[in-house]
Amino acid sequence: MSDVVEKTLTALPSLLSFDSQPGAAKLSSTSKLASLIRGITELTSKHEEEKLIQQELVAIKDQVSSPNTSMRQMKELMVRAIYCEMLGYEASFCYIHAIKLAQQGTALDKRVGYLAVALFLHESHELLLLLVNTVLKDLQSTNLIEVCMALTIVSQLFPKDMIPAILPLVEEKLTHPKEIIRRKAVLALYKFYLIAPNQVQHIHNKFRKALCDKDPGVMTASLHIYLQMIKENPEGYKDLTGSFVTILKQVVGGKLPMDYNYHSVPSPWLQIQLLRILSLLGKDDQSSSEIMYEVLDESLRRAEMNHNITYAILYECVKCIYTIHPKDELLEKAAKCIGNFILSPKINLKYIGLKALTYVVQQDPKLALQHQMTIIECLDHPDLIIKRETLELLFRITNGKNVTVIVEKLLDFLRTSKDDYTTIDLMGKVAEVAEKYAPDNKWFIATMNTVFSLGGDLMQPDIPNNFLKLISEGFDDGEQDRMLRLFAVDSYVSLLQGEPEKLPQRFLQVISWVLGEYSHLREDLEPATVVRLLAHVLDLKQASSETKSWVLLAMTKLCEGEAAMSVLQGVSETYSSSMDTVLRQRAQELQNLHLNPELWARVLPRDAFTEPLEVDSSLSFLDGYVSEALAAGAAPYKSPHQRQEELAQAKAVSMEPYGLSLPISMSLSSLDGRQSPTLLSMSSGLSGDSTDHSHKAGTTTLKLDKVKRVWGREGYLAQRESAVVEVPSPVHSADQIEEVGISQDPTPPPVADQEKQQLASSLFVGLGSQTSSSLMGKSEPKHQRLRKKAKDPVSSSEISKQTSNSIFPPPISVDNLLCNSNMDPKKSLPSCTQMTESSQGSAAANGTCAAEGEFTEGDVQGPEPSLFRDNRLTIAGSCETEEPVGMKDLCLTSYLPADCIGANHSEFTPLCSSHGVHLSACHVHKDDTLVLLVFISNSSNSDVHQFIVQVDSGDVEVSCLSESPVEELRCHHVEVCQYSLTAKRPSVHLEVSGLVSFNMPDRTPQTTHFSYKLPLPSFIRPLELSTEEYGTMWLAFSHDTKQNLTLVADVQDSLRATLDVLERKLHLHVVAIIGMEGIVACRLLPDQPCLMHCRVHGGTLAVWLRSPVPDLPDCLLYHCQRALQEV
Amino acid sequence: MMRFLLLFSRQGKLRLQKWYTPMSDREKKKIIRDMTTAVLARQPRTCNFLHWKDLKIIYKRYASLYFCLAIENHENELLALEVIHRYVELLDRYFGNVCELDIIFNFEKAYFILDEFLMGGEIQETSKQIVNRSIEASDMLQETMEEYMSKPAF
């Protein structure tokens, strides 16, 4: 009965849509949805809507859980639930039913089920696991539409760890006869590539097939993957440049079927994709660029029609032309194009023009000159977006001469900006150019004051940090520094005398620090005055406790003079009973220090800020306390990371049913080669406790070496620390600064009248042809008046990235090295396990002590080549032990530290050289560590001084083994630095970057960067286990990856042969081989286990890797593939 | 890559939402709120682009309906406008002179069309004809199934 009513009501919505055209599309999905929608539109208040929806949800809930609801009705209910969710009401009870619908419904219901799943669930939703089987089934369906639906959902929702389950099936679809399936499969793989590049690494050659597909749609889809891959590694795809150019030529020439045209432009999306690829390939590559010139010219010429889509293509062309190796003729045309955009009355085109100009001024600043009047107009444009984009452009053309005007414009915008993100972004930009190009102290302090007051507490903390660092470090000219500080003090005193309650917290913190540190510079300023001003800040209602502690600290520095004392007395009394423990401590410090002036002078020495402060970052002074506590039965310290890991492990147990059931369900669905290794021999280990190994997973040492203490008791600490570690960077000599300071004095006159011409002349000064283009955004050290140390590491890492390509040894040779350095696992294993145990034992007691203990042990043993295997030597003797033998002999082998001679070392790789100083490196495999040796040779005829080498890395834990750093390098001398490396987190290649600095004989400082790339197998060591242990561990690990690998062919026992290759090349340990299956174990230094299960199936080797460490299985798998490919 | 697509009415009522990167429900709600207020507040004769955090928002109004597409900063804004337009063309072709009510009452169809056009945040098929064909193919199935299923109901 109700069905009949439903049927009649179905017609209603089509009447409602006011459209006469009949047809399938017009049929509304359900009448109930329609009445719901109509009901909602009739309501007047939000409250009524809520009531109605809640009613609706109750009704839906009743029906979905009723067993009598058919799939068809379920479909209709899902649509209503989706609608309710879209209105913002939660219908989570439906989620499970959506999955059920996708699972059990017919194709038609399935579609709605999948749609609901895609809209309801997200990547990490736990219910998603229930969808895997459905997707697997649908991927194998003979119904095209079901396959399409499965591919769509896969590309939309599937997270990294679920990809392996479906990957082989998706991969198979690349050869499907239907182009729509191939296209969707390619796009799904593209999505996989984005989230887990290692997992699809083995199908790269199939992507090539997709690129050559006869269907243009499939080819276009494959370009997404190529764009991504080329972005990551342009060198690897140079050979395809010609093909891409040919494709573009054909597209531009209209060779594709007509229905790919969009508003009579041939396949614009394809064109743009190709242009992007070409610009990546042609960047810094003249020969590749030359192939492209003709087609780029053609594209520019053809894109004449007056339509948005042609402009989109033109914009992409312009970007490409300015990215690749320049050709004058094309540049000219591109510049004309930009001109057309900017001058266009259409506002969207103007926007694009500004964006293009912002991009190209980095190459050619003079272009901005041509359009200066238009830019000025845009600056006053009523549309804020245009204005914002113009400011972006101005930021790029800032130089020492126009900085005041541009900063003023930026600040004007900041004052009106309401959007937090824009404010933060612009703030950083103002601070950056102000630091770089400030014409004088007064302007700098005033600008930063505005930044601090406007930015409020939104500001990124590095802006005040950098500012304080700059003030405290100053530059080399003492007088200049003093002036800067004086300006700051003066301006802050007057600010505090004004309305301090209007200042943001961050600014108050900066003010109190500067006043505490430098107010003594102003001799006519009584400390009492400053203390009173600060006390006033303390009384402010809005002062946060963080600010208060800064103020108290500043006061502590100012304990001088009778008048000040009395104020301080009051303050310390008030706060020594504060509820806030930090404040109470500060107050106590204040009280005690001002009673004891001697101690005060020692703790807070004046002006000692730039002096190096020895920081015991290992906290070794606490050793006694720690060992006492441990003896008393305290639990050893675990780093937060480790605790997290253990927590994750504990949680991982609950994931186990999935891990076990998945393979079973897959074999049910007749999937090849994917049986659970639990069938092998460790099924008894099901009850094994999973926590056991997680404890073993990380040693319990205090890993504080890399911990940076930025804020300490004295406030900002970074500069002190860095004074110890950091290298004297090339500093401008005093007279240089003088010269800059004076020569830039004629700053643009204040633009009192808003005459645009005048504004233009002040904005675009320094862009003319007489000044070199290096004045532009690319920072020229000479114009960088205030140096910024904080940003140095960033730029240095960029540099090292740029240079790294040329420096790295080609990966193949590295792999070969690995072959040479194969160790005999039988012999090395006992010692390595012993080592792990002993180091754990001592490490548990105390991390730092353990390291020292081993060090002395190493020294006592003395250098002997055989040591490597027989003794558990972690750390070698220092570099001082060996004297260079032959002065002229550059054969670095002779400089190998004694204990490394017996060990296998990699080839020597030149790292960098500068002014006669050459650096090379090699790595040495030891049982429980990887030693990096850096050879520094001085081939010049003079000594260099203050030699400092720093090695650092995000991926790798680096610890220096040399006892004392090299400080002087005599001529024709070679020094060796040793570093012990362990992987922090796995990655296919781990990179170590470093910095060398030294003073030339004539005292000019030199700095060079280098980087060194290590493949993951260098960090892999065999792990000896019994089969039972393996079984328990296998179940405890949660991160896994599966893949089919090629077997070593033409041998009798191909499994054995393949595993031998892996054992030899990657230092894995083969635990057991039983019939057609084998189990293998290894560890990532220091002791992160990874287990591998292999099974021969249909001529391939199905491997399954598991580890407690995320990414380790992926990365190791990559190297397994590589190792087997090379056989 | 496209990050999300929102369709909402002049009154700020959401009509369709598609997210191409994982996001929490709270984030989604905030974005929807931000987008509707920001886009609806735009004056006439301003450009069709907006900044939102590190994303670019491209919006266009068709009759009473706003289409709002978020792309990454380095992408091409003009092209994104045409992506919206192509989607509207596809809707128009399917519904025949599409209006807001079509999308309200048949929003699941609008989703299906979108899934044939965009996939994983990228353009899946640029040929209008092919997209239409694949939509029709699955619709045909839907019709026959519907007929088949409805029989035992009477």
Side-chain angles (χ1 to χ4, degrees):
Chain A
M1 173 62 200
S2 68
D3 269 331
V4 179
V5 178
E6 237 182 87
K7 280 275 156 194
T8 37
L9 280 174
T10 324
L12 277 178
S14 54
L15 293 175
L16 246 167
S17 60
F18 311 113
D19 194 78
S20 54
Q21 188 182 333
K26 281 294 162 190
L27 277 173
S28 154
S29 56
T30 50
S31 59
K32 278 187 185 156
L33 173 72
S35 58
L36 171 68
I37 294 169
R38 249 172 283 131
I40 288 169
T41 43
E42 278 159 18
L43 297 176
T44 47
S45 75
K46 185 82 188 160
H47 179 68
E48 281 175 332
E49 181 192 293
E50 201 176 322
K51 232 169 77 186
L52 186 80
I53 301 277
Q54 292 305 346
Q55 274 173 12
E56 181 76 16
L57 284 175
V58 170
I60 296 175
K61 195 172 186 174
D62 274 352
Q63 272 187 285
V64 286
S65 45
S66 146
N68 299 326
T69 313
S70 72
M71 279 299 144
R72 179 141 182 267
Q73 284 164 323
M74 194 66 102
K75 181 187 96 182
E76 181 261 303
L77 288 166
M78 278 308 138
V79 174
R80 271 154 67 196
I82 295 175
Y83 191 80
C84 292
E85 280 239 331
M86 185 157 69
L87 291 176
Y89 300 89
E90 201 194 308
S92 52
F93 59 87
C94 277
Y95 296 177
I96 186 76
H97 297 284
I99 292 178
K100 234 165 79 187
L101 186 64
Q103 207 162 33
Q104 298 169 358
T106 54
L108 152 69
D109 309 324
K110 231 180 218 307
R111 198 169 172 210
V112 175
Y114 272 129
L115 174 67
V117 168
L119 290 169
F120 289 154
L121 304 187
H122 54 83
E123 273 200 338
S124 45
H125 201 287
E126 49 193 352
L127 287 179
L128 210 54
L129 292 176
L130 300 175
L131 199 70
V132 177
N133 273 327
T134 316
V135 169
L136 282 173
K137 203 179 79 201
D138 285 339
L139 279 175
Q140 295 171 97
S141 163
T142 47
N143 185 336
L144 281 189
I145 287 158
E146 284 181 349
V147 181
C148 284
M149 286 191 281
L151 286 172
T152 308
I153 198 85
V154 153
S155 75
Q156 220 157 58
L157 270 186
F158 267 43
K160 202 174 173 180
D161 50 329
M162 280 162 67
I163 292 173
I166 43 150
L167 185 62
L169 283 175
V170 177
E171 207 183 313
E172 212 172 78
K173 297 286 173 284
L174 286 177
T175 50
H176 199 277
K178 271 288 184 193
E179 57 274 358
I180 183 170
I181 305 282
R182 291 203 300 273
R183 189 180 73 211
K184 284 186 196 258
V186 168
L187 278 167
L189 288 173
Y190 164 67
K191 198 68 200 291
F192 296 166
Y193 183 83
L194 289 182
I195 40 184
N198 288 335
Q199 296 188 1
V200 292
Q201 208 263 342
H202 63 289
I203 14 188
H204 281 195
N205 50 349
K206 291 194 185 162
F207 293 150
R208 291 224 174 194
K209 222 180 254 168
L211 183 65
C212 306
D213 201 286
K214 59 180 187 297
D215 180 67
V218 183
M219 187 265 288
T220 314
S222 75
L223 290 183
H224 293 304
I225 302 181
Y226 274 99
L227 181 65
Q228 201 60 34
M229 293 195 298
I230 292 171
K231 210 180 269 174
E232 280 153 24
N233 172 26
E235 296 306 317
Y237 299 90
K238 294 279 182 193
D239 57 321
L240 287 175
T241 314
S243 320
F244 289 127
V245 169
T246 323
I247 300 173
L248 184 56
K249 244 180 224 163
Q250 290 176 351
V251 177
V252 174
K255 296 270 165 28
L256 280 189
M258 279 298 277
D259 54 307
Y260 283 94
N261 284 8
Y262 178 84
H263 295 257
S264 51
V265 177
S267 207
W269 279 279
L270 180 54
Q271 281 195 45
I272 284 173
Q273 201 72 359
L274 285 166
L275 285 168
R276 285 178 185 161
I277 289 177
L278 290 184
S279 65
L280 289 173
L281 287 172
K283 195 177 182 194
D284 305 323
D285 182 346
Q286 188 170 357
S287 59
S288 299
S289 300
E290 271 163 8
I291 314 176
M292 305 168 193
Y293 291 146
E294 193 194 327
V295 73
L296 286 174
D297 194 42
E298 177 90 3
S299 297
L300 278 181
R301 211 159 40 79
R302 292 252 185 174
E304 273 171 342
M305 219 186 45
N306 192 10
H307 189 278
N308 244 345
I309 198 76
T310 45
Y311 299 133
I313 296 173
L314 280 178
Y315 169 70
E316 222 57 54
C317 271
V318 167
K319 264 179 85 171
C320 181
I321 288 169
Y322 270 94
T323 314
I324 62 171
H325 189 86
K327 188 185 183 199
D328 290 342
E329 193 188 325
L330 282 176
L331 288 178
E332 212 172 280
K333 285 183 181 168
K336 218 178 109 208
C337 238
I338 296 177
N340 289 341
F341 280 149
I342 288 203
L343 296 172
S344 163
K346 285 184 185 161
I347 193 151
N348 286 347
L349 291 190
K350 209 181 256 306
Y351 176 91
I352 282 289
L354 284 170
K355 201 176 158 185
L357 197 55
T358 312
Y359 185 79
V360 302
V361 285
Q362 293 166 64
Q363 268 90 36
D364 184 7
K366 270 175 269 171
L367 260 181
L369 273 181
Q370 293 173 16
H371 301 293
Q372 36 182 311
M373 287 324 284
T374 326
I375 295 172
I376 302 280
E377 273 162 28
C378 291
L379 210 48
D380 292 324
H381 202 279
D383 188 353
L384 280 184
I385 304 296
I386 298 281
K387 213 167 160 177
R388 175 81 178 72
E389 206 58 34
T390 317
L391 290 176
E392 192 74 38
L393 172 62
L394 289 184
F395 167 70
R396 300 270 183 201
I397 58 165
T398 312
N399 59 37
K401 291 178 182 164
N402 59 16
V403 62
T404 45
V405 195
I406 288 178
V407 165
E408 196 181 309
K409 289 282 161 197
L410 288 169
L411 288 176
D412 278 348
F413 190 84
L414 258 179
R415 287 192 186 97
T416 57
S417 159
K418 286 185 194 74
D419 174 42
D420 289 353
Y421 190 86
T422 317
T423 311
I424 295 169
D425 183 46
L426 281 180
M427 202 86 62
K429 287 187 170 139
V430 174
E432 191 185 327
V433 291
E435 276 178 27
K436 238 192 232 170
Y437 303 112
D440 60 54
N441 289 329
K442 203 171 162 189
W443 181 89
F444 178 63
I445 295 291
T447 306
M448 289 312 281
N449 282 354
T450 325
V451 169
F452 285 135
S453 14
L454 282 178
D457 297 313
L458 284 175
M459 192 179 336
Q460 297 287 323
D462 63 321
I463 298 178
N465 290 359
N466 283 348
F467 175 73
L468 289 185
K469 198 166 153 190
L470 213 139
I471 291 220
S472 59
E473 282 177 353
F475 8 110
D476 275 1
D477 186 348
E479 187 51 30
Q480 281 281 339
D481 292 352
R482 218 178 66 85
M483 292 307 285
L484 178 68
R485 289 166 192 162
L486 267 180
F487 269 123
V489 169
D490 283 352
S491 114
Y492 294 160
V493 167
S494 59
L495 273 173
L496 285 188
Q497 280 163 345
E499 291 176 294
E501 62 275 4
K502 288 197 176 150
L503 301 175
Q505 304 295 319
R506 283 258 166 72
F507 195 17
L508 285 174
Q509 292 162 10
V510 168
I511 290 178
S512 43
W513 188 87
V514 171
L515 287 182
E517 200 72 20
Y518 296 114
S519 64
H520 65 88
L521 290 175
R522 171 68 67 211
E523 272 146 23
D524 50 347
L525 191 67
E526 285 288 318
T529 325
V530 181
V531 168
R532 260 184 229 113
L533 284 172
L534 289 173
H536 182 54
V537 173
L538 273 184
D539 294 338
L540 292 179
K541 261 201 292 289
Q542 60 270 46
S544 68
S545 64
E546 196 193 344
T547 310
K548 283 181 181 170
S549 86
W550 280 73
V551 173
L552 283 173
L553 195 65
M555 286 178 152
T556 318
K557 292 176 191 161
L558 294 168
C559 301
E560 259 182 321
E562 281 303 313
M565 286 299 190
S566 63
V567 182
L568 290 176
Q569 189 72 40
V571 167
S572 63
E573 267 163 27
T574 319
Y575 285 96
S576 54
S577 57
S578 162
M579 291 298 281
D580 190 319
T581 46
V582 179
L583 288 185
R584 203 153 70 211
Q585 174 167 1
R586 295 264 179 261
Q588 292 290 349
E589 283 167 16
L590 171 59
Q591 209 158 21
N592 287 323
L593 285 177
H594 101 241
L595 290 175
N596 189 348
E598 263 175 50
L599 184 63
W600 176 73
R602 235 179 64 209
V603 174
L604 296 167
R606 183 161 285 176
D607 247 353
F609 217 70
T610 45
E611 276 165 31
L613 177 79
E614 291 295 337
V615 178
D616 186 358
S617 61
S618 65
L619 302 182
S620 61
F621 59 91
L622 286 173
D623 288 352
Y625 177 79
V626 170
S627 50
E628 236 170 70
L630 284 171
Y637 174 75
K638 284 176 192 159
S639 65
H641 165 74
Q642 209 178 336
R643 272 173 274 161
Q644 203 74 38
E645 193 100 299
E646 278 171 30
L647 214 64
Q649 292 268 318
K651 272 188 190 163
V653 179
S654 67
M655 297 287 285
E656 216 39 54
Y658 165 60
L660 285 176
S661 68
L662 178 65
I664 295 162
S665 59
M666 280 195 302
S667 54
L668 278 180
S669 56
S670 74
L671 183 62
D672 306 339
R674 303 245 167 243
Q675 274 173 27
S676 161
T678 43
L679 300 176
L680 188 59
S681 59
M682 66 286 298
S683 47
S684 59
L686 263 168
S687 58
D689 53 336
S690 57
T691 44
D692 189 7
H693 288 286
S694 60
H695 281 294
K696 218 176 150 189
T699 50
T700 43
T701 50
L702 272 170
K703 285 176 186 162
L704 280 170
D705 291 342
K706 296 286 163 195
V707 178
K708 255 194 183 164
R709 277 181 65 201
V710 180
W711 299 100
R713 287 182 62 226
E714 283 81 15
Y716 188 59
L717 274 183
Q719 55 276 48
R720 300 194 179 191
E721 270 191 45
S722 63
V724 185
V725 195
E726 210 169 325
V727 183
S729 64
V731 187
H732 336 291
S733 59
D735 49 349
Q736 244 179 331
I737 284 179
E738 200 70 30
E739 176 203 302
V740 176
I742 294 165
S743 68
Q744 291 189 349
D745 205 28
T747 44
V751 272
D753 47 330
Q754 287 301 314
E755 193 64 50
K756 283 178 181 170
Q757 277 293 353
Q758 209 169 336
L759 179 59
S761 65
S762 51
L763 272 179
F764 298 97
V765 64
L767 297 184
S769 46
Q770 66 272 41
T771 42
S772 72
S773 63
S774 59
L775 269 173
M776 302 309 308
K778 298 170 183 169
S779 58
E780 169 93 332
K782 194 180 155 196
H783 291 269
Q784 199 167 327
R785 184 169 178 278
L786 305 168
R787 82 206 141 94
K788 291 185 306 162
K789 272 192 181 169
K791 299 252 164 111
D792 274 351
V794 179
S795 58
S796 72
S797 66
E798 274 165 11
I799 294 167
S800 65
K801 260 183 214 157
Q802 283 167 2
T803 51
S804 57
N805 281 341
S806 53
I807 290 169
F808 294 149
I812 295 149
S813 71
V814 174
D815 280 1
N816 289 341
L817 296 175
L818 290 174
C819 303
N820 302 337
S821 60
N822 77 76
M823 292 176 280
D824 188 352
K826 297 275 156 13
K827 281 186 188 167
S828 58
L829 266 168
S831 63
C832 90
T833 32
Q834 267 173 3
M835 181 55 218
T836 335
E837 276 159 26
S838 78
S839 75
Q840 265 179 342
S842 51
N846 188 306
T848 42
C849 279
E852 276 163 22
E854 276 154 30
F855 198 97
T856 44
E857 190 186 13
D859 273 351
V860 173
Q861 301 272 5
E864 233 180 294
S866 63
L867 271 178
F868 164 52
R869 267 180 199 161
D870 305 334
N871 297 310
R872 297 176 270 117
L873 240 192
T874 33
I875 298 168
S878 74
C879 54
E880 284 175 12
T881 48
E882 65 271 324
E883 279 295 308
V885 194
M887 289 283 198
K888 300 276 177 191
D889 186 8
L890 276 173
C891 176
L892 293 166
T893 323
S894 58
Y895 295 102
L896 273 175
D899 58 307
C900 295
I901 291 170
N904 290 302
H905 64 82
S906 68
E907 256 172 42
F908 298 99
T909 316
L911 293 177
C912 58
S913 48
S914 160
H915 298 83
V917 175
H918 305 283
L919 263 78
S920 345
C922 73
H923 53 273
V924 179
H925 291 245
K926 295 196 178 185
D927 278 9
D928 26 38
T929 185
L930 183 74
V931 176
L932 173 70
L933 298 171
V934 180
F935 300 87
I936 310 148
S937 62
N938 183 359
S939 64
S940 67
N941 288 323
S942 45
D943 302 352
V944 292
H945 305 279
Q946 294 199 6
F947 202 89
I948 298 174
V949 186
Q950 272 180 281
V951 178
D952 201 1
S953 169
D955 311 330
V956 182
E957 189 89 46
V958 184
S959 54
C960 185
L961 299 179
S962 314
E963 224 165 33
S964 62
V966 189
E967 270 171 357
E968 227 181 83
L969 191 58
R970 274 180 283 145
C971 53
H972 304 296
H973 218 87
V974 178
E975 291 282 1
V976 188
C977 294
Q978 290 189 54
Y979 301 90
S980 151
L981 309 178
T982 48
K984 272 192 220 164
R985 68 184 87 88
S987 150
V988 173
H989 291 283
L990 296 109
E991 194 172 333
V992 176
S993 58
L995 182 124
V996 190
S997 65
F998 52 87
N999 277 0
M1000 293 295 289
D1002 58 350
R1003 296 248 153 242
T1004 46
Q1006 297 292 338
T1007 316
T1008 326
H1009 299 273
F1010 62 85
S1011 64
Y1012 189 69
K1013 210 169 177 181
L1014 294 140
L1016 183 76
S1018 318
F1019 292 91
I1020 295 289
R1021 299 289 177 271
L1023 177 66
E1024 187 156 277
L1025 288 173
S1026 69
T1027 315
E1028 286 71 36
E1029 282 173 321
Y1030 183 96
T1032 4
M1033 284 173 90
W1034 179 268
L1035 288 174
F1037 297 161
S1038 52
H1039 300 279
D1040 64 347
T1041 304
K1042 282 177 246 179
Q1043 195 135 77
N1044 286 343
L1045 298 180
T1046 46
L1047 276 166
V1048 175
D1050 309 328
V1051 247
Q1052 271 207 326
D1053 188 352
S1054 55
L1055 177 63
R1056 167 76 66 182
T1058 314
L1059 293 184
D1060 280 349
V1061 169
L1062 294 180
E1063 186 171 28
R1064 200 173 63 238
K1065 288 195 172 179
L1066 304 176
H1067 328 304
L1068 310 177
H1069 169 65
V1070 179
V1071 180
I1073 297 180
I1074 307 161
M1076 298 309 270
E1077 295 180 64
I1079 49 177
V1080 180
C1082 68
R1083 67 194 168 98
L1084 175 70
L1085 286 173
D1087 48 10
Q1088 309 278 21
C1090 183
L1091 307 181
M1092 182 162 123
H1093 169 259
C1094 319
R1095 184 164 166 275
V1096 179
H1097 182 88
T1100 58
L1101 185 69
V1103 295
W1104 188 354
L1105 285 110
R1106 277 197 171 194
S1107 167
V1109 190
D1111 296 337
L1112 182 54
D1114 277 354
C1115 301
L1116 194 62
L1117 190 60
Y1118 170 85
H1119 286 285
C1120 289
Q1121 274 172 5
R1122 290 283 306 267
L1124 292 174
Q1125 271 167 15
E1126 281 161 20
V1127 174
Chain B
M1 190 180 148
M2 288 164 249
R3 296 294 192 85
F4 58 81
L5 173 71
L6 300 177
L7 266 66
F8 49 83
S9 70
R10 224 164 20 163
Q11 290 79 33
K13 283 250 189 277
L14 188 66
R15 296 300 179 209
L16 193 130
Q17 52 173 337
K18 188 82 192 174
W19 308 88
Y20 290 108
T21 43
M23 239 176 275
S24 73
D25 284 347
R26 261 189 64 193
E27 273 174 295
K28 285 182 187 173
K29 279 197 176 142
K30 186 182 174 343
I31 291 176
I32 293 169
R33 209 173 43 237
D34 283 4
M35 288 305 106
T36 43
T37 43
V39 170
L40 293 175
R42 294 284 287 169
Q43 302 293 320
R45 266 186 303 197
T46 47
C47 62
N48 291 51
F49 317 127
L50 276 177
H51 295 248
W52 188 81
K53 298 216 165 154
D54 56 342
L55 298 181
K56 287 278 169 66
I57 310 298
I58 316 304
Y59 68 92
K60 194 159 185 196
R61 186 177 145 181
Y62 288 88
S64 57
L65 205 57
Y66 282 92
F67 288 69
C68 170
L69 180 67
I71 55 171
E72 280 159 14
N73 211 351
H74 56 86
E75 297 262 339
N76 189 329
E77 286 89 348
L78 293 178
L79 192 68
L81 268 180
E82 298 313 305
V83 169
I84 294 178
H85 190 75
R86 173 43 71 92
Y87 181 46
V88 175
E89 282 180 2
L90 290 170
L91 289 171
D92 201 55
R93 170 89 172 251
Y94 182 82
F95 289 105
N97 205 0
V98 67
C99 69
E100 192 188 341
L101 285 171
D102 289 319
I103 293 169
I104 298 175
F105 285 104
N106 299 290
F107 64 88
E108 82 276 19
K109 301 249 167 65
Y111 277 118
F112 294 145
I113 296 170
L114 185 61
D115 279 345
E116 290 302 320
F117 175 47
L118 304 178
M119 188 168 162
E122 297 286 355
I123 296 276
Q124 184 191 159
E125 181 55 69
T126 57
S127 156
K128 199 159 146 188
Q129 231 165 324
I130 293 177
V131 177
N132 275 316
R133 227 179 289 148
S134 54
I135 297 166
E136 275 157 22
S138 30
D139 252 29
M140 283 298 285
L141 174 93
Q142 179 155 345
E143 288 316 304
T144 48
M145 290 300 291
E146 205 146 16
E147 280 162 27
Y148 174 77
M149 290 298 289
S150 59
K151 271 178 194 164
F154 285 99

